Amino acid sequence: MARAMSTLGEVGEFGLIAAIALATRAGTGVEIGIGDDAALIVLPSGKALITTDMAIEGVHFRTDWSSAYEIGRKCAAANLADIAAMGGRTRALVVAFAAPASLSTEWALQLTQGINDECEGEGASVVGGDTVRGEAITISITAI
């Protein structure tokens, strides 16, 4: 487990995930929780796999290297792959998007087209999400 005075750089991504898992209680119906590609939740009508991934401009992608369309495909593919790794098939995505006010609407629409095109082969679709103003482009997708 991570020491209280350690930094994220010292513990790393997997050390942080392990510490969060130890500090978090699984709720009712959680068959597979923190630490795998996706969580497996037991619902009254069956089971659902749920995963989420975030991509931040300058950390996970650069707009001078990739188009909005390519970034959209990459972000969607990460989520689709996590569900597939657990033996599932994605049905729905919820997309949260933050961007500076100066970003063109066309860029956001091209991002959306990339997400839609990546989902087409799975039969998945975007069913909702959130948009906010932010300093850097940030895309967070939850797949179900």
Side-chain angles (χ1 to χ4, degrees), residues 7-12:
T7 67
L8 295 178
E10 291 170 339
V11 299

Side-chain angles (χ1 to χ4, degrees), residues 6-59:
S6 63
T7 67
L8 295 178
E10 291 170 339
V11 299
E13 176 184 359
F14 295 108
L16 178 60
I17 291 169
I20 290 170
L22 287 173
T24 305
R25 251 185 335 165
T28 303
V30 177
E31 197 166 300
I32 300 173
I34 295 173
D36 218 318
D37 291 306
L40 180 61
I41 310 300
V42 178
L43 303 170
S45 61
K47 296 181 181 182
L49 288 165
I50 302 170
T51 189
T52 192
D53 276 300
M54 188 181 307
I56 301 171
E57 178 183 16
V59 177

Side-chain angles (χ1 to χ4, degrees), residues 8 11 15-16 23 46 57 60 66 85 95 102 114 124 127:
L8 295 178
V11 299
L16 178 60
E57 178 183 16
H60 302 99
S66 301
V95 180
S102 60
V127 298

